[in-house]
PDB file of all heavy atoms in Angstrom:
ATOM      1  N   PRO A  41     -35.348 -39.133 -14.745  1.00  0.00           N
ATOM      2  CA  PRO A  41     -34.726 -40.238 -15.514  1.00  0.00           C
ATOM      3  C   PRO A  41     -33.203 -40.062 -15.538  1.00  0.00           C
ATOM      4  O   PRO A  41     -32.720 -38.995 -15.838  1.00  0.00           O
ATOM      5  CB  PRO A  41     -35.288 -40.179 -16.849  1.00  0.00           C
ATOM      6  CG  PRO A  41     -36.665 -39.550 -16.730  1.00  0.00           C
ATOM      7  CD  PRO A  41     -36.442 -38.549 -15.589  1.00  0.00           C
ATOM      8  N   GLY A  42     -32.535 -41.150 -15.138  1.00  0.00           N
ATOM      9  CA  GLY A  42     -31.001 -41.093 -15.191  1.00  0.00           C
ATOM     10  C   GLY A  42     -30.388 -40.316 -14.063  1.00  0.00           C
ATOM     11  O   GLY A  42     -29.164 -40.154 -14.094  1.00  0.00           O
ATOM     12  N   LYS A  43     -31.136 -39.929 -13.090  1.00  0.00           N
ATOM     13  CA  LYS A  43     -30.597 -39.143 -11.975  1.00  0.00           C
ATOM     14  C   LYS A  43     -30.966 -39.763 -10.660  1.00  0.00           C
ATOM     15  O   LYS A  43     -31.867 -40.599 -10.611  1.00  0.00           O
ATOM     16  CB  LYS A  43     -31.117 -37.713 -12.059  1.00  0.00           C
ATOM     17  CG  LYS A  43     -30.658 -36.921 -13.224  1.00  0.00           C
ATOM     18  CD  LYS A  43     -31.057 -35.430 -13.188  1.00  0.00           C
ATOM     19  CE  LYS A  43     -30.587 -34.599 -14.328  1.00  0.00           C
ATOM     20  NZ  LYS A  43     -31.035 -33.211 -14.201  1.00  0.00           N
ATOM     21  N   GLU A  44     -30.247 -39.318  -9.645  1.00  0.00           N
ATOM     22  CA  GLU A  44     -30.657 -39.736  -8.295  1.00  0.00           C
ATOM     23  C   GLU A  44     -31.758 -38.916  -7.770  1.00  0.00           C
ATOM     24  O   GLU A  44     -31.920 -37.734  -8.123  1.00  0.00           O
ATOM     25  CB  GLU A  44     -29.432 -39.677  -7.405  1.00  0.00           C
ATOM     26  CG  GLU A  44     -28.283 -40.588  -7.743  1.00  0.00           C
ATOM     27  CD  GLU A  44     -27.154 -40.554  -6.741  1.00  0.00           C
ATOM     28  OE1 GLU A  44     -27.159 -39.728  -5.841  1.00  0.00           O
ATOM     29  OE2 GLU A  44     -26.262 -41.409  -6.800  1.00  0.00           O
ATOM     30  N   ARG A  45     -32.491 -39.519  -6.832  1.00  0.00           N
ATOM     31  CA  ARG A  45     -33.583 -38.709  -6.199  1.00  0.00           C
ATOM     32  C   ARG A  45     -32.944 -37.503  -5.449  1.00  0.00           C
ATOM     33  O   ARG A  45     -32.034 -37.691  -4.755  1.00  0.00           O
ATOM     34  CB  ARG A  45     -34.446 -39.606  -5.311  1.00  0.00           C
ATOM     35  CG  ARG A  45     -35.620 -38.935  -4.775  1.00  0.00           C
ATOM     36  CD  ARG A  45     -36.749 -39.913  -4.373  1.00  0.00           C
ATOM     37  NE  ARG A  45     -36.288 -40.932  -3.425  1.00  0.00           N
ATOM     38  CZ  ARG A  45     -37.110 -41.870  -3.033  1.00  0.00           C
ATOM     39  NH1 ARG A  45     -38.313 -42.016  -3.424  1.00  0.00           N
ATOM     40  NH2 ARG A  45     -36.670 -42.739  -2.098  1.00  0.00           N
ATOM     41  N   GLU A  46     -33.564 -36.361  -5.646  1.00  0.00           N
ATOM     42  CA  GLU A  46     -33.007 -35.162  -4.998  1.00  0.00           C
ATOM     43  C   GLU A  46     -34.030 -34.399  -4.163  1.00  0.00           C
ATOM     44  O   GLU A  46     -35.266 -34.469  -4.412  1.00  0.00           O
ATOM     45  CB  GLU A  46     -32.474 -34.199  -6.059  1.00  0.00           C
ATOM     46  CG  GLU A  46     -33.458 -33.650  -6.972  1.00  0.00           C
ATOM     47  CD  GLU A  46     -32.884 -32.599  -7.951  1.00  0.00           C
ATOM     48  OE1 GLU A  46     -31.682 -32.320  -7.859  1.00  0.00           O
ATOM     49  OE2 GLU A  46     -33.632 -32.085  -8.754  1.00  0.00           O
ATOM     50  N   PHE A  47     -33.588 -33.734  -3.196  1.00  0.00           N
ATOM     51  CA  PHE A  47     -34.435 -32.924  -2.333  1.00  0.00           C
ATOM     52  C   PHE A  47     -34.966 -31.725  -3.065  1.00  0.00           C
ATOM     53  O   PHE A  47     -34.247 -31.121  -3.848  1.00  0.00           O
ATOM     54  CB  PHE A  47     -33.617 -32.509  -1.094  1.00  0.00           C
ATOM     55  CG  PHE A  47     -34.249 -31.401  -0.253  1.00  0.00           C
ATOM     56  CD1 PHE A  47     -35.299 -31.819   0.649  1.00  0.00           C
ATOM     57  CD2 PHE A  47     -33.937 -30.064  -0.364  1.00  0.00           C
ATOM     58  CE1 PHE A  47     -35.865 -30.792   1.421  1.00  0.00           C
ATOM     59  CE2 PHE A  47     -34.496 -29.119   0.481  1.00  0.00           C
ATOM     60  CZ  PHE A  47     -35.510 -29.472   1.308  1.00  0.00           C
ATOM     61  N   VAL A  48     -36.264 -31.417  -2.798  1.00  0.00           N
ATOM     62  CA  VAL A  48     -36.863 -30.267  -3.376  1.00  0.00           C
ATOM     63  C   VAL A  48     -37.274 -29.180  -2.384  1.00  0.00           C
ATOM     64  O   VAL A  48     -36.849 -28.061  -2.442  1.00  0.00           O
ATOM     65  CB  VAL A  48     -38.143 -30.666  -4.238  1.00  0.00           C
ATOM     66  CG1 VAL A  48     -38.889 -29.438  -4.714  1.00  0.00           C
ATOM     67  CG2 VAL A  48     -37.717 -31.596  -5.310  1.00  0.00           C
ATOM     68  N   ALA A  49     -38.027 -29.642  -1.326  1.00  0.00           N
ATOM     69  CA  ALA A  49     -38.464 -28.678  -0.306  1.00  0.00           C
ATOM     70  C   ALA A  49     -38.908 -29.460   0.946  1.00  0.00           C
ATOM     71  O   ALA A  49     -39.154 -30.676   0.885  1.00  0.00           O
ATOM     72  CB  ALA A  49     -39.657 -27.858  -0.880  1.00  0.00           C
ATOM     73  N   ASN A  50     -38.978 -28.706   2.054  1.00  0.00           N
ATOM     74  CA  ASN A  50     -39.421 -29.271   3.288  1.00  0.00           C
ATOM     75  C   ASN A  50     -40.299 -28.282   4.039  1.00  0.00           C
ATOM     76  O   ASN A  50     -39.921 -27.126   4.082  1.00  0.00           O
ATOM     77  CB  ASN A  50     -38.154 -29.655   4.061  1.00  0.00           C
ATOM     78  CG  ASN A  50     -38.562 -30.169   5.483  1.00  0.00           C
ATOM     79  OD1 ASN A  50     -38.764 -29.362   6.418  1.00  0.00           O
ATOM     80  ND2 ASN A  50     -38.754 -31.501   5.584  1.00  0.00           N
ATOM     81  N   SER A  51     -41.322 -28.799   4.579  1.00  0.00           N
ATOM     82  CA  SER A  51     -42.229 -27.966   5.498  1.00  0.00           C
ATOM     83  C   SER A  51     -42.081 -28.575   6.866  1.00  0.00           C
ATOM     84  O   SER A  51     -42.521 -29.685   7.144  1.00  0.00           O
ATOM     85  CB  SER A  51     -43.660 -28.111   5.057  1.00  0.00           C
ATOM     86  OG  SER A  51     -44.489 -27.472   5.979  1.00  0.00           O
ATOM     87  N   GLY A  52     -41.373 -27.810   7.788  1.00  0.00           N
ATOM     88  CA  GLY A  52     -41.103 -28.345   9.083  1.00  0.00           C
ATOM     89  C   GLY A  52     -42.417 -28.221  10.017  1.00  0.00           C
ATOM     90  O   GLY A  52     -43.165 -27.361   9.823  1.00  0.00           O
ATOM     91  N   TRP A  53     -42.419 -29.130  10.957  1.00  0.00           N
ATOM     92  CA  TRP A  53     -43.542 -29.110  11.895  1.00  0.00           C
ATOM     93  C   TRP A  53     -43.556 -27.814  12.658  1.00  0.00           C
ATOM     94  O   TRP A  53     -44.646 -27.342  13.124  1.00  0.00           O
ATOM     95  CB  TRP A  53     -43.541 -30.294  12.820  1.00  0.00           C
ATOM     96  CG  TRP A  53     -42.319 -30.258  13.779  1.00  0.00           C
ATOM     97  CD1 TRP A  53     -41.074 -30.699  13.512  1.00  0.00           C
ATOM     98  CD2 TRP A  53     -42.285 -29.670  15.050  1.00  0.00           C
ATOM     99  NE1 TRP A  53     -40.246 -30.463  14.573  1.00  0.00           N
ATOM    100  CE2 TRP A  53     -40.982 -29.821  15.558  1.00  0.00           C
ATOM    101  CE3 TRP A  53     -43.281 -29.042  15.880  1.00  0.00           C
ATOM    102  CZ2 TRP A  53     -40.605 -29.365  16.870  1.00  0.00           C
ATOM    103  CZ3 TRP A  53     -42.885 -28.601  17.151  1.00  0.00           C
ATOM    104  CH2 TRP A  53     -41.591 -28.722  17.593  1.00  0.00           C
ATOM    105  N   SER A  54     -42.450 -27.217  12.887  1.00  0.00           N
ATOM    106  CA  SER A  54     -42.324 -25.988  13.634  1.00  0.00           C
ATOM    107  C   SER A  54     -42.515 -24.750  12.833  1.00  0.00           C
ATOM    108  O   SER A  54     -42.461 -23.645  13.366  1.00  0.00           O
ATOM    109  CB  SER A  54     -40.883 -25.894  14.371  1.00  0.00           C
ATOM    110  OG  SER A  54     -39.909 -25.827  13.395  1.00  0.00           O
ATOM    111  N   GLY A  55     -42.657 -24.902  11.514  1.00  0.00           N
ATOM    112  CA  GLY A  55     -42.876 -23.711  10.636  1.00  0.00           C
ATOM    113  C   GLY A  55     -41.681 -23.398   9.785  1.00  0.00           C
ATOM    114  O   GLY A  55     -41.772 -22.555   8.928  1.00  0.00           O
TER     115      GLY A  55
END
Side-chain angles (χ1 to χ4, degrees):
K43 296 185 178 180
E44 295 185 350
R45 189 155 56 183
E46 64 175 0
F47 170 77
V48 175
N50 175 274
S51 171
W53 66 273
S54 63

